[in-house]
């Protein structure tokens, strides 16, 4: 899960430009050539050896899924265009995905404390390119959510890293893909003050994480929607204002929600939550617990004290329940109805496509009907 701990482990570092950036360019290209020349791919795991070639598909609408655990056989491969592996890599995923003409990309998380170290960047990129080539996959998905800013130079260094990585990948094969996960708006969300236009230019597209929108709560410290469409539209407008075309944006949607314990509630509608600070703001969604849509739907069906409610303004479902101690909880999550509304928003804005965190939260074996509804809502 993309928890607050996940975000906090990528601690903020104040970085400055150094002469190493200039000196490192020759080192970078030397190591790149070495990486491509010395790479020894693992044997193709597919019976059909042609399935180990990179996917050749350009400028198509994206249906980008994240995979962390479990098998992949039950995914709707007629919809998937890219699968990003964030857990243990199973080589047979390449066979399944490539047979469906879907790309497989590996997660890429760089230690931001080393952004100004050109030698370390070059060595890291060399390793990333080798992993892509050796494992017969199709590229990388950057997931860096650390505090960076343009004042210190760290944001520019990150853009340089991404551009160098793309150059290296395309040196190995022009078919390789490079993408980057970004916050729902470019306006310094969670102190991620990145060079978003430069990053969009340096990647094939940005996967916009249109969730965890209460990571920093500036208003009343209460439970509310994780992924409300009005904020999603605001974020799209913010990216467009920077000159980033909508063809470079993929809408990332949550297949999870938050279970919030209420603190001294006075009515069934408003759920005050514990103040848990995050990056300088006193209240955050860390007061809740992330749970999959399947878990929360089961909870709504078995334990809800309010029945499933709908917020028209936020286009989101919610419900209350009482735990074993008799304490009230309020749950906000997404279901096929709310996902469908956001999918229409993506189409209305002519985005590159859609994504979900996490495809594994839909289980076709235990909940085939509901899982299919969730997938179909994103068509």
């Amino acid at each position: 899960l993309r928890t607050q701990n996940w975000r906090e482990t990528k601690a903020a570092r104040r970085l400055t430009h150094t002469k190493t950036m200039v000196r490192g360019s020759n080192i970078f290209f030397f190591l790149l050539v070495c990486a491509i020349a010395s790479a020894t791919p693992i044997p193709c795991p597919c019976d059909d050896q042609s399935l180990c070639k990179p996917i050749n598909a350009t400028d198509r609408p994206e249906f980008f899924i994240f995979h962390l655990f479990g098998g992949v056989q039950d995914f709707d491969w007629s919809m998937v265009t890219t699968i990003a592996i964030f857990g243990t890599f199973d080589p047979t995923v390449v066979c399944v995905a490539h047979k469906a003409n879907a790309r497989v990309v590996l997660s890429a998380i760089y230690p931001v404390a080393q952004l100004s170290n050109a030698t370390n960047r070059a060595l890291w990129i060399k390793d990333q390119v080798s992993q892509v080539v050796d494992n017969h996959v199709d590229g990388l998905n950057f997931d860096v959510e650390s505090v960076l800013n343009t004042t210190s130079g760290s944001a520019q260094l990150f853009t340089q890293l991404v551009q160098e990585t793309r150059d290296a990948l395309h040196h190995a094969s022009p078919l390789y893909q490079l993408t980057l996960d970004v916050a729902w708006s470019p306006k310094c969300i969670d102190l991620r003050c990145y060079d978003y236009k430069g990053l969009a230019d340096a990647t094939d597209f940005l996967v916009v994480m249109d969730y965890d929108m209460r990571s920093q709560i500036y208003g009343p410290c209460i439970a509310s929607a994780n992924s409300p469409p009005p904020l999603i539209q605001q974020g799209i407008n913010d990216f467009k204002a920077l000159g980033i075309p909508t063809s470079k944006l993929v809408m990332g949607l949550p297949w999870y929600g938050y279970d919030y314990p209420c603190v001294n509630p006075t009515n069934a509608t408003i759920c005050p939550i514990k103040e848990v600070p995050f990056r300088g703001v006193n209240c955050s969604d860390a007061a809740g617990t992330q749970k999959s849509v399947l878990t929360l739907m089961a909870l709504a069906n078995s334990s809800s004290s309010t029945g499933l409610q709908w917020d028209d303004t936020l286009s989101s479902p919610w419900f209350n329940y009482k735990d074993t101690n008799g304490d009230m909880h309020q749950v906000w999550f997404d279901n096929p109805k709310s996902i469908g509304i956001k999918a229409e928003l993506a189409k209305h804005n002519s985005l590159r496509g859609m994504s979900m965190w996490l495809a594994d939260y839909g289980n076709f074996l235990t909940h085939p009907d509901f899982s299919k509804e969730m997938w179909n809502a994103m068509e």
Side-chain angles (χ1 to χ4, degrees):
L1 299 178
R2 296 194 171 196
T3 61
Q4 302 300 325
N5 286 337
W6 180 305
R7 292 194 285 257
E8 284 290 11
T9 55
K10 300 171 187 177
R13 300 288 190 272
R14 182 172 179 84
L15 304 174
T16 56
H17 287 283
T18 67
K19 293 181 180 179
T20 310
M21 291 174 58
V22 178
R23 295 198 304 267
S25 58
N26 292 332
I27 297 172
F28 170 76
F29 285 107
F30 172 75
L31 289 174
L32 169 61
V33 172
C34 291
I36 304 307
S38 63
T40 305
I42 63 173
C44 176
C46 312
D47 292 334
D48 181 352
Q49 299 290 293
S50 69
L51 293 177
C52 284
K53 296 179 181 179
I55 294 296
N56 186 1
T58 58
D59 297 328
R60 61 180 177 178
E62 278 290 333
F63 192 86
F64 189 108
I65 67 174
F66 291 96
H67 173 57
L68 185 61
F69 56 83
V72 300
Q73 296 290 344
D74 294 315
F75 294 161
D76 188 344
W77 286 102
S78 67
M79 295 176 61
V80 179
T81 57
T82 304
I83 180 171
I85 309 299
F86 270 61
T88 302
F89 175 67
D90 177 357
T92 63
V93 172
V94 172
C95 312
V96 176
H98 283 188
K99 187 176 181 179
N101 201 34
R103 288 187 174 93
V104 180
V105 298
L106 305 178
S107 64
I109 302 176
Y110 185 81
V112 296
Q114 295 296 321
L115 277 173
S116 63
N117 187 329
T119 302
N120 193 80
R121 288 200 316 270
L123 289 170
W124 182 85
I125 293 170
K126 169 181 177 293
D127 178 66
Q128 299 302 304
V129 172
S130 294
Q131 288 190 47
V132 169
V133 173
D134 293 354
N135 288 291
H136 313 287
V137 297
D138 304 278
L140 299 169
N141 171 252
F142 263 102
D143 186 65
V144 173
E145 302 178 29
S146 303
V147 174
L148 299 175
N149 60 74
T150 55
T151 303
S152 68
S154 57
Q156 292 90 334
L157 284 167
F158 181 50
T159 301
Q160 181 174 345
L161 169 71
V162 174
Q163 183 63 63
E164 289 171 347
T165 304
R166 190 182 192 189
D167 291 344
L169 283 171
H170 285 183
H171 187 93
S173 170
L175 299 179
Y176 287 151
Q177 180 190 86
L178 184 67
T179 56
L180 171 69
D181 307 330
V182 297
W184 62 270
S185 167
K187 292 190 173 182
C188 292
I189 303 300
D190 299 340
L191 302 183
R192 287 181 267 172
C193 304
Y194 299 174
D195 169 23
Y196 287 95
K197 180 63 168 65
L199 291 169
D201 292 341
T203 56
D204 290 283
F205 54 84
L206 305 176
V207 180
V208 183
M209 296 183 286
D210 285 317
Y211 40 79
D212 289 350
M213 290 180 160
R214 296 183 70 73
S215 58
Q216 293 180 305
I217 302 173
Y218 290 93
C221 194
I222 59 174
S224 191
N226 179 38
S227 176
L231 282 187
I232 293 177
Q233 183 62 62
Q234 178 183 320
I236 293 171
N237 295 342
D238 293 340
F239 283 108
K240 288 169 62 178
L242 294 179
I244 299 173
T246 55
S247 61
K248 282 272 190 173
L249 303 177
V250 167
M251 181 187 292
L253 300 178
W255 281 31
Y256 67 91
Y258 281 89
D259 179 344
Y260 292 99
C262 303
V263 179
N264 300 320
T266 58
N267 60 64
T269 304
I270 305 298
C271 172
I273 60 177
K274 179 182 178 181
E275 288 192 356
V276 180
F278 180 66
R279 292 185 179 172
V281 179
N282 289 334
C283 185
S284 73
D285 55 16
T289 302
Q290 287 186 12
K291 297 180 180 179
S292 74
V293 289
L294 291 179
T295 299
L296 295 176
M297 278 301 298
L299 186 61
N301 292 332
S302 66
S303 306
S304 172
S305 59
T306 57
L308 193 60
Q309 301 293 307
W310 179 262
D311 187 296
D312 287 326
T313 302
L314 302 177
S315 297
S316 300
W318 64 275
F319 66 92
N320 294 345
Y321 76 94
K322 290 186 178 180
D323 60 26
T324 55
N325 295 320
D327 296 325
M328 190 175 102
H329 290 232
Q330 190 168 95
V331 173
W332 290 81
F333 67 115
D334 276 276
N335 62 9
K337 180 179 178 180
S338 64
I339 291 291
I341 290 171
K342 284 175 266 208
E344 288 302 315
L345 195 62
K347 296 170 187 175
H348 176 75
N349 284 277
S350 300
L351 301 191
R352 178 71 166 262
M354 287 172 287
S355 171
M356 91 254 301
W357 180 273
L358 189 64
D360 311 299
Y361 288 158
N363 191 320
F364 280 92
L365 295 178
T366 60
H367 298 78
D369 293 338
F370 181 77
S371 298
K372 186 63 177 175
E373 284 184 54
M374 289 290 287
W375 280 78
N376 288 346
M378 296 181 67
E379 280 190 303

